[in-house]
Amino acid sequence: IWIAFEGGRVPEDALLSLRSLPWVARTEPEGEGIICTLTGDAKAPDLISALVAAGYRIEEAKKRSANLEEIYLRYVHSGEESS
């Protein structure tokens, strides 16, 4: 899920807030927003609700699927970690 915040920039502490959620597997800045990978049964509304409850103002949220390059890089990096 790609999240854009009000004002067109990512708040400094937003990544830390997202990483503290047990059902957020991964976060990374992208452009004027953040990409979040969720685990289990967590869905976009759960993520948006948590951010709003923490005081963040969301401008836009889009579901996003990983492209082939991202899948490849994840696969290669996971292989490096297990070596």
Side-chain angles (χ1 to χ4, degrees), residues 31-52:
E32 296 178 352
I34 297 175
I35 295 176
C36 300
T37 304
L38 307 181
T39 62
D41 294 332
K43 305 235 184 282
D46 301 321
L47 180 65
I48 295 165
S49 293
L51 288 168
V52 170

Side-chain angles (χ1 to χ4, degrees), residues 5-7 10 14-15 20 24 30 32-34 38 40 47 49 52 54-55 57 59-60 62 66 69-70 72:
F5 296 87
E6 184 179 61
V10 177
L15 282 171
S20 72
V24 173
E30 182 180 274
E32 296 178 352
I34 297 175
L38 307 181
L47 180 65
S49 293
V52 170
R57 296 182 49 91
E59 182 75 29
E60 187 176 356
K62 293 181 184 177
E69 180 182 5
E70 291 168 335
Y72 172 78

Side-chain angles (χ1 to χ4, degrees), residues 4 12 22-23 26 31 33-34 38 71 80-81:
E12 289 183 29
W23 36 268
R26 194 176 115 160
I34 297 175
L38 307 181
I71 293 168
E80 290 173 357
E81 292 171 2

